[in-house]
Amino acid sequence: MVNEGEFFRTIADHVPAMIAVYNIKTGKYLFVNKSIKKLLGYEQKDFLEKGLAFVSQLVHQDDVAQITKKNLKALDMANSPKYAKIINESIVDFEYRMRHKKGHYVWLLTDGSVFSRDKSGQVECVMNVSIDITNRKEAEAKLGKMTANILESISDAVITTGLDYKIVSWNRAAEELYGYKVDEVVGKSAREIVKTRYEGGPLPWIKELENTGKWKGEAIQQRKDGTEVFVLASVSEVKDENGKLVGYVAANKDITDRKKLEERKDDFVALASHELKTPLTSLKIFAQVLEQRFKKLKDEIAMKQLASMNRQIDKLTELITGLLDVSRAQMGKIDYRKDQFAIDELIYETIENIGRVYKSHDIIITGKSGVQVMADWDRISQVLTNLTTNAIKYSPEGKQVELKVEKHKGEVVVSVKDHGIGISVADQRKIFDRFFQADHPYSKTLPGLGLGLYISKEIIDRHGGKIWVESIPSKGSTFYFSLPAA
Ligand code: ADP
């Protein structure tokens, strides 16, 4: 039969962890198990004879401060009245390196608990249980290095920051894109280093980032040398393993070349549509002259053919005007001649004109706003015409288009409702984009360039109003626009 002490000692020696009990006042070890030989290469007697002073020297220099700080804090806590009774309970844990007898370092995870207290109740002896976590630490380091390597080889500029937007990391692509070396920027505010502006004015991107956890969009940013680059920025929150928000990461792609190409294409469209307009105008004039002539000659067949020629010329003119408007809108150059007038008058007059041309649908207007607006009559009429003709165009089976005019908090709100093919949720977000056309089998059979809504939005924006859509696929769509009262 073994006695109780012997019994526990045998068990302790077989645990694959290093167990050590020491007196914090005398610095002497009361007990160490055999595992220290396996973990650190020392004999039990080395620790028992040389005490805490010797063992402390084995701790890696870089880890000493962390351990001392944590230990003092834990002791303070354990000695405070609130915790005066705890014993055999873990009060602290830390990860650190200790030097093996052979010279290399071993990573340990140590858990410290109160083993005994003196007469006055103060902590006297502490028990440390330590396990070897070298493998885990090496794997983590490898993974960290691999992540760092990936970041370095990625072609987007990747920047991470803390919650205060101070730069934590800055990869090679960021160095190339912005011209700053990593050492120049770490610790500095990303918002000061990478000055950013947005086409069309400031954007509420920080709000979106904080509300949804991410933001993606185009921006113009300044390089170290003062030149500017177009980027497609994608910013997201970074969280730690407990899900706590710790900072942000931005991956920015240089899209300057694509933007330049787009600009060249826009210039070409502007030039081409301008050049096309002149011959078209003379064509129209000659067609009118010819019409007069054939009228006099009473040549019915020629007149019929001329009428259809005129209709084609009008269609062409409409398309080219659309293209010209787009290039003007792009450059912010649509001219507006604003006058004060009653919006109801414009609506009723425009709808009457549309009704005369489009006989396939009944257009029903309800409501009156009584609102006076300061606006460009022709342009607002153009918006209403676009929305109403779209409602007709995209509702081949619905025979009714309903317009409503209302006054709402110092604004007029106009809605155009159809019972047509509707617009999917994904498309609703893109519907006001330039050249956007829904991927709908019916839409595809119709002529159009996907410019009307883009221009309409531009016009309404420039009047300080809003334009939006609500729609249920296969049921119909309602387009709204609002204008502030004069
Ligand atoms: P276009 O009609 O010349 O293609 P628009 O800018 O006016 O250009 O419209 C863009 C796209 O939005 C259309 O191609 C169509 O797919 C969709 N759309 C517009 N209005 C409606 C509507 N009332 N119902 C369903 N789809 C619509």
Side-chain angles (χ1 to χ4, degrees), residues 233-439:
S234 171
V235 192
S236 342
E237 289 179 341
V238 178
K239 292 187 172 157
D240 68 6
E241 62 269 23
N242 303 316
K244 198 174 136 226
L245 182 64
V246 288
Y248 303 102
V249 58
N252 297 349
K253 188 188 282 303
D254 183 356
I255 53 164
T256 312
D257 289 345
R258 198 189 86 197
K259 277 281 171 185
K260 285 217 172 105
L261 214 65
E262 255 175 40
E263 261 169 38
R264 278 190 12 223
K265 192 184 72 198
D266 292 342
D267 287 349
F268 169 76
V269 171
L271 193 81
S273 41
H274 188 80
E275 292 301 313
L276 281 170
K277 219 166 172 181
T278 321
L280 208 60
T281 314
S282 28
L283 217 65
K284 178 90 191 166
I285 294 168
F286 286 124
Q288 277 164 352
V289 174
L290 278 179
E291 210 178 350
Q292 301 288 332
R293 276 213 155 167
F294 288 126
K295 216 177 192 172
K296 270 190 207 146
L297 294 173
K298 295 204 166 63
D299 187 336
E300 292 290 331
I301 295 173
M303 271 180 64
K304 239 190 184 158
Q305 285 166 343
L306 259 177
S308 88
M309 195 164 133
N310 256 326
R311 269 199 306 278
Q312 298 302 329
I313 293 175
D314 286 346
K315 260 194 193 160
L316 212 55
T317 313
E318 204 179 296
L319 275 177
I320 289 167
T321 313
L323 280 174
L324 258 177
D325 271 355
V326 169
S327 7
R328 287 201 198 111
Q330 245 359 118
M331 294 180 257
K333 276 191 190 152
I334 292 189
D335 292 326
Y336 295 101
R337 293 183 34 204
K338 290 190 182 170
D339 299 305
Q340 186 168 331
F341 57 84
I343 186 77
D344 299 344
E345 223 172 276
L346 176 144
I347 292 163
Y348 281 80
E349 192 180 308
T350 306
I351 295 307
E352 210 180 297
N353 289 338
I354 296 174
R356 250 185 256 129
V357 184
Y358 294 85
K359 302 282 185 206
S360 59
H361 290 61
D362 291 328
I363 310 173
I364 299 160
I365 318 185
T366 51
K368 273 210 159 93
S369 70
V371 168
Q372 292 276 320
V373 292
M374 192 64 172
D376 186 319
W377 176 290
D378 291 336
R379 291 295 184 182
I380 300 298
S381 171
Q382 181 182 346
V383 172
L384 191 64
T385 306
N386 181 229
L387 298 186
T388 314
T389 52
N390 273 353
I392 294 169
K393 194 165 145 190
Y394 297 104
S395 55
E397 277 156 28
K399 292 282 169 253
Q400 202 158 298
V401 172
E402 293 139 39
L403 271 98
K404 208 170 0 55
V405 197
E406 278 174 307
K407 185 176 175 181
H408 182 76
K409 289 188 193 158
E411 295 184 323
V412 55
V413 180
V414 183
S415 61
V416 182
K417 179 176 179 165
D418 66 53
H419 302 278
I421 60 171
I423 304 157
S424 72
V425 178
D427 284 350
Q428 286 175 34
R429 261 182 259 130
K430 295 180 267 179
I431 202 115
F432 298 102
D433 289 355
R434 193 161 51 122
F435 298 117
F436 179 79
Q437 291 189 295
D439 196 13

